[in-house]
Amino acid sequence: MKKILAISSSGGHWIQMQRIASCFSGNEVVYVSTLEGYAKEVHLSKYYKVKDASAWSKLDLIIVGLQLTNILLKEKPDIVITTGAAPGLLAIVISRFIGARTIWLDSIANYEQISFSGRLAKYFTHLHLTQWQHLANQKTLFLGKVL
Amino acid sequence: MATLSKSENTIFREGPVIFIVTGTQAPFDRLLLILDKWASNQEKYTVIAQMANSKMHFKNMHCFNYLEPDVFNEYFINADVIIGHAGIGTILTALENEKKLVVFPRRVKYSEHRNDHQLHTAIGFEKLDLINVAYNENELVRYLDNPHAIAEKKRIDNKAERRLIDALCSFVNK
């Protein structure tokens, strides 16, 4: 059994994570997101709330970075998967120091280009996925949509 | 405007409902103003807006800054028409629940988002024939005046497509 840390921002990012959650079955999942209310929706799993941060607020990013470092050191997941956005990117970067294997699934919102966080995540993550065929290339794979 | 608790939820007894969804991150006054103006000229629909901390005052709609996820879902599922920004949460929740949805993308030129990805999301989902899009006020008002023109899209189930799940499974269990 593997331990998976599934991290996403709120709203669409969270819903997309729920739509791929069946790929975690048989493993232990720890969820991380930015709204208190989500704990109820995944009450069979452990849930952490972190501060919502965008890539445009440096102070918030530092706070979230510290929160995530704590969570990752405590949980020591084998796999870290994110559907974005900024907190997910930070989790992937920090995870490189604890040896987890990582997946970036870029949001289906990003039809014209990979998100800003996603373009940075490409340099850190093991598996880098888009949900639109026309955005795929050698490093960024298209393996299907959350639909 | 307080957060709504379930015990206060009596609005649905007043007839058909339009629910306006603008996400949690930033206000979307351009959309809310169009709806408030439209609502002032009609009596059939009750208009409820989740307005993401808008500082404006709207006279013709029931407005809430933020709704807890379970209350939000109750409103969403019980509404007759959803008018939303082109956020993925809004679009997927509408498709999962087979709701009539018109999206009105946030635009960077009006400082409604940091980039124009909502416009591109709308174009992408429109190509898949999964949403109705209003790109400007005229198109939105046309939908509001004639809700029968809002196409009902095919319901999607609550899971990603099989090949994506399989690919993720094999990476996870490698």
Side-chain angles (χ1 to χ4, degrees):
Chain A
M1 193 166 87
K2 301 264 172 58
K3 187 187 260 192
I4 301 163
L5 187 121
I7 172 166
S8 73
S9 300
S10 62
H13 298 282
W14 172 258
I15 291 174
Q16 291 179 79
M17 182 64 80
Q18 298 315 307
R19 295 180 65 84
I20 57 171
S22 62
C23 75
F24 309 145
S25 68
N27 298 295
E28 182 186 351
V29 192
V30 175
Y31 286 97
V32 181
S33 189
T34 55
L35 286 183
E36 206 70 67
Y38 287 155
K40 274 191 252 179
E41 294 183 23
V42 291
H43 62 276
L44 297 177
S45 302
K46 202 184 243 186
Y47 177 82
Y48 290 95
K49 178 196 175 292
V50 293
K51 189 171 169 49
D52 199 1
S54 88
W56 279 259
S57 165
K58 289 194 183 69
L59 179 64
D60 286 355
L61 285 177
I62 292 167
I63 295 169
V64 177
L66 292 171
Q67 289 179 316
L68 288 171
T69 303
N70 268 329
I71 294 167
L72 287 161
L73 287 175
K74 191 169 151 205
E75 296 294 340
K76 297 187 182 63
D78 302 295
I79 314 270
V80 173
I81 180 166
T82 182
T83 49
L89 167 64
L90 286 174
I92 281 186
V93 174
I94 299 163
S95 295
R96 291 314 296 249
F97 298 99
I98 60 162
R101 288 187 302 134
T102 56
I103 305 173
W104 178 275
L105 175 61
D106 205 53
S107 168
I108 195 170
N110 305 311
Y111 172 78
E112 203 206 36
Q113 60 173 350
I114 304 286
S115 64
F116 177 65
S117 297
R119 276 174 273 155
L120 293 175
K122 188 162 70 174
Y123 301 105
F124 300 93
T125 191
H126 295 91
L127 185 58
H128 193 251
L129 303 176
T130 172
Q131 298 190 52
W132 296 97
Q133 178 85 67
H134 62 272
L135 299 181
N137 55 40
Q138 278 188 324
K139 167 72 190 176
T140 303
L141 308 181
F142 171 72
L143 300 173
K145 290 179 168 59
V146 298
L147 302 179
Chain B
M1 300 290 162
T3 299
L4 184 76
S5 77
K6 267 186 178 163
S7 59
E8 294 169 280
N9 185 0
T10 55
I11 294 167
F12 282 111
R13 293 173 194 163
E14 298 170 25
V17 169
I18 293 175
F19 186 35
I20 307 167
V21 182
T22 63
T24 57
Q25 293 197 322
F28 191 8
D29 290 335
R30 188 165 57 103
L31 173 63
L32 295 168
L33 282 166
I34 294 170
L35 265 295
D36 195 54
K37 189 169 105 188
W38 178 82
S40 70
N41 295 317
Q42 64 87 42
E43 286 176 352
K44 184 178 173 194
Y45 286 91
T46 299
V47 183
I48 302 174
Q50 172 273 313
M51 63 177 196
N53 300 311
S54 172
K55 297 279 182 290
M56 298 195 65
H57 181 67
F58 301 101
K59 277 186 264 177
N60 306 298
M61 313 190 287
H62 302 269
C63 294
F64 301 97
N65 274 331
Y66 171 79
L67 296 164
E68 287 295 331
D70 51 346
V71 181
F72 176 88
N73 285 335
E74 193 178 319
Y75 270 42
F76 201 104
I77 286 162
N78 286 304
D80 297 272
V81 175
I82 310 287
I83 307 289
H85 72 159
I88 290 298
T90 307
I91 294 170
L92 294 182
T93 308
L95 288 169
E96 286 175 4
N97 295 290
E98 219 171 4
K99 304 307 290 186
K100 282 189 159 211
L101 166 72
V102 178
V103 302
F104 188 71
R106 289 177 184 263
R107 297 299 307 274
V108 74
K109 65 179 174 184
Y110 303 117
S111 306
E112 292 159 352
H113 218 307
R114 292 180 293 264
N115 55 48
D116 262 336
H117 80 264
Q118 284 209 351
L119 178 65
H120 304 127
T121 303
I123 293 167
F125 274 81
E126 201 176 36
K127 280 194 179 150
L128 298 174
D129 193 26
L130 289 173
I131 54 171
N132 305 285
V133 185
Y135 290 99
N136 55 49
E137 177 170 359
N138 285 344
E139 290 181 17
L140 181 57
V141 169
R142 212 176 303 145
Y143 276 122
L144 291 167
D145 286 341
N146 186 14
H148 298 291
I150 304 173
E152 283 184 36
K153 303 298 180 182
K154 208 178 87 198
R155 181 197 289 265
I156 60 170
D157 67 11
N158 61 2
K159 266 191 204 156
E161 65 177 313
R162 187 72 216 205
R163 61 177 168 157
L164 178 59
I165 299 284
D166 288 348
L168 293 172
C169 268
S170 74
F171 181 92
V172 165
N173 295 307
K174 192 158 63 183

